Structure formats: structure tokens, C-alpha cells
Amino acid sequence: MQENGKIWRDVQGNVLHAHGGCILFAEGYYWWYGENRLGNRYVSVYRSKDLENWEFRNDILTTESKTEPIRQKTDLTLKRENGKVNIERPKVLFCEKTGKYVLWAHYENGENYLDARICIATCDTPDGDFTYHGSFNPYGYMSRDCTLFRDDDGRTYFLSASRDNADLHVYLLTDDLLNVKKHINTLWQGEYREAPAVFKKNGKYYILSSYCTGWRPNQGAWAVGDSMDGEFTELCNFGDETTFHSQPAFVLPVEKNGETKYIYYGDRWCYKGDELTVAEDFGDSMSYYIRSTYIVLPIRFTAEDEPYIEYEDRFKDGI
Ligand code: GAL
């Protein structure tokens, strides 16, 4: 049984590296995509029938991935002379129009965080070798921590931190999910929101996010709005002052007995042995990253539909 804040392992017994990721339900399985910084890897995928036992399937994006431009002037760089680039917060959706699995992520050059770009890759199957289509700045904007959200009317939105993370942008995507079509919203100017995660309940759109403190956890927040291009409420506290020592990765809606449950998946980036700690205590960024783990909690709602989480060592409701 996977426990919150402990190292998670796949069914083969290896440490499960799917940080900052997402879970997609397709072809009868849950597919968990996420960051894996080991060796030449960028994004790995695992699959499960029960959200508990995860089978490693593939490193879908690596320094050696096939590259293929899809428009003019996208930058196809996937490695540097002395190392790797950074590919963070990968999110994958299936595109009905093209029959492709499409990955969007945050791209940086590996030396600093100044490129602040989106990168895209696609594949015909959920766990095949993805083809990399390059990185770009949407309409010239900076684009860092990000997420994808597929609405029930078929529209897809991309959210990302812009203007050095000060504002959160919302974009509508083209139907083939290969580009942004319109910049439709700019939220919480000057509030420095990161790690966005979106879900929809009773026709309303909820956005979870963190404040901007690098790998250190901080107070999470939620907000709600009637449409992705409309007004959202102010930020309301979510979890405790460190969001139980985690940062939002994504929210998974799961149907159970005719009811939709919403599950919070957070990254606990900074973990050393059995002790919670901060990134700075490690000295070496790879070792704390490798020991990063996950926090999975049911999102509960007040009578006014305000979301909240309470810490549990284990998500005991079952799925
Ligand atoms: C965090 C962000 C992570 C990663 C990290 C690097 O704030 O959420 O995805 O970019 O900063 O310091």
C-alpha cells in the first residue's frame, strides 16, 4: 500500500518517478505521467487499474526522443553540450480529432529558468516513444508552471505562470491540441501563483495553486469561477501553511457508485530519509529530487462547495 510522504514503488519494486505529472484514464487504464530526472529521462509513464499498483511502461520522453517540427521556428533542442534541458510538469491528453496522445510541459534550457516556454510532444499510443515537437513562448509570453484541462464540452485549456510567475495565464487550445488559439484570461496579477491544477464540479471551475517558493512548500489556495474566461474568486487557503508539505500536481476526478470524487495529488519535493526537510538541506539537487514523493488526499467540500483537504497517512476512502 502506498503511503503519503513515503517513497512509492512500482510493481517491479523500483522507485516511482512521476513528479509534477498527471493521470489520464484511457484504454481501460489509468496512466500516470510525470517527471523523471534519472539518466537521459524526462518523462516516464506507469499504468494501473486501481490507482494503487503501478506498472512501469516507458520513458516516453528522453534526450534521445525523435524530433519533428510542427511549425516554423519552434526550438527542437532536447539536450545541451554538457547536460540536459528541464522538462517539468508534463500533462497528457488524448486528442479525438487526431487520434494522438498529446503532451504539454514546461521547458527550460537546463542552465537557468529564463526561457519559460511550453513544449509539446505526441504519440499514437499512451505509452509509446513520444515525438518531440519543440518549445515556444505562447504569443511571446513567459510560460512556466502549467497544466492542461479538458472541459466536458470538448474545449481544452492550458494554464501557465507568466510575467516571471506574477500572473497566471489561461489559453484556449486549437482542436488538434498542438497550439494555443487564444489567450483568454489573466488571473491574480502579482500574486505569483504556481503549480495550477483544475477541476470542474457542479458546472464551476476550481483552480488549485501554490505560491512561488521554488521547491519549498507553501500555503496552497483554491479559487472558483463560472467560466475559464471569466472572473474567479480571490484566493482561499487550501490545506495548512505548507499544504501538508506538498505542492499541487493535479486533481483526479474518479467516478464511484455514481458519484464523482476528486483526489488531490501533490508533490512532496523535499524529503530526506524519514524526515521532511527543505531543498537547501540537500546541497545536491538531484538527491533531493530523487527522494521526492507524493501526497494523495480526497478533496472534501463544505455545504457551500468550498474544497478542503485534511491530512491522512493514507487515502482510506478507497477509490
Ligand atoms: C517550483 C515549481 C517546480 C520547479 C521548481 C524549480 O516552484 O513549481 O515545478 O520549477 O520551482 O525551482
Side-chain angles (χ1 to χ4, degrees):
M1 177 180 283
Q2 313 285 8
E3 277 183 76
N4 279 333
K6 296 274 157 65
I7 297 294
W8 286 31
R9 292 187 184 274
D10 62 19
V11 291
Q12 295 96 329
N14 296 314
V15 175
L16 196 154
H17 286 297
H19 310 283
C22 68
I23 291 180
L24 175 71
F25 187 76
E27 304 184 15
Y29 287 95
Y30 293 102
W31 303 88
W32 189 352
Y33 299 89
E35 296 171 30
N36 183 346
R37 301 199 180 203
L38 298 178
N40 70 348
R41 302 169 180 87
Y42 288 126
V43 182
S44 295
V45 66
Y46 300 78
R47 77 176 182 187
S48 173
K49 290 260 187 198
D50 57 9
L51 296 171
E52 179 77 35
N53 298 290
W54 292 98
E55 177 195 358
F56 170 77
R57 294 293 296 171
N58 195 13
D59 299 315
I60 62 162
L61 197 65
T62 69
T63 55
E64 308 312 313
S65 289
K66 190 175 147 213
T67 61
E68 197 180 285
I70 43 174
R71 69 180 67 84
Q72 307 294 327
K73 294 196 177 183
T74 43
D75 178 353
L76 292 171
T77 309
L78 260 180
K79 56 183 166 188
R80 298 180 281 133
E81 209 174 300
N82 300 319
K84 293 162 73 180
V85 301
N86 276 350
I87 298 205
E88 301 186 346
R89 299 191 173 275
K91 311 293 170 199
V92 178
L93 286 178
F94 178 68
C95 179
E96 282 78 13
K97 190 176 174 191
T98 60
K100 299 258 186 198
Y101 289 84
V102 186
L103 176 151
W104 285 57
H106 169 197
Y107 171 94
E108 299 288 357
N109 59 33
E111 285 177 333
N112 54 50
Y113 272 72
L114 298 177
D115 281 354
R117 293 183 190 159
I118 292 167
C119 66
I120 297 180
T122 61
C123 190
D124 291 334
T125 57
D127 55 354
D129 295 335
F130 276 55
T131 300
Y132 186 66
H133 299 304
S135 62
F136 64 98
N137 294 99
Y139 297 114
Y141 289 119
M142 295 176 93
S143 179
R144 290 202 180 117
D145 277 20
C146 61
T147 198
L148 283 177
F149 175 67
R150 161 69 52 79
D151 206 345
D152 40 29
D153 63 2
R155 287 175 197 239
T156 306
Y157 301 96
F158 179 76
L159 286 76
S160 66
S162 197
R163 198 166 64 91
D164 265 323
N165 303 354
D167 310 329
L168 188 68
H169 281 193
V170 184
Y171 303 90
L172 178 67
L173 299 199
T174 53
D175 292 344
D176 59 9
L177 306 189
L178 296 178
N179 205 351
V180 292
K181 184 154 134 187
K182 199 172 177 191
H183 171 204
I184 60 164
N185 218 340
T186 301
L187 297 171
W188 307 303
Q189 100 76 34
E191 296 287 357
Y192 290 85
R193 304 315 296 174
E194 288 199 322
V198 182
F199 63 95
K200 190 176 185 182
K201 180 174 189 283
N202 295 338
K204 292 197 185 286
Y205 300 83
Y206 290 81
I207 304 178
L208 303 183
S209 60
S210 74
Y211 177 54
C212 177
T213 51
W215 302 111
R216 287 165 178 268
N218 55 55
Q219 173 71 64
W222 65 272
V224 64
D226 291 330
S227 68
M228 289 304 278
D229 60 357
E231 281 183 29
F232 275 76
T233 60
E234 297 299 306
L235 300 158
C236 309
N237 285 351
F238 185 73
D240 68 1
E241 68 275 12
T242 62
T243 322
F244 306 123
H245 220 99
S246 75
Q247 189 182 27
F250 60 95
V251 172
L252 180 68
V254 177
E255 303 292 328
K256 197 188 173 191
N257 306 330
E259 201 194 324
T260 307
K261 288 181 174 252
Y262 298 86
I263 309 172
Y264 167 77
Y265 280 75
D267 291 293
R268 182 170 277 184
W269 295 116
C270 313
Y271 199 82
K272 190 179 191 180
D274 281 338
E275 283 176 44
L276 300 180
T277 186
V278 292
E280 285 72 7
D281 291 347
F282 281 86
D284 154 23
S285 69
M286 264 311 272
S287 37
Y288 81 73
Y289 183 85
I290 287 165
R291 299 199 70 88
S292 292
T293 175
Y294 314 96
I295 300 294
V296 181
L297 295 169
I299 299 178
R300 304 186 197 284
F301 294 88
T302 65
E304 288 75 41
D305 254 356
E306 298 180 341
Y308 65 95
I309 44 173
E310 287 168 339
Y311 189 76
E312 298 170 18
D313 289 334
R314 173 64 207 148
F315 179 22
K316 296 191 195 71
D317 291 24
I319 308 288

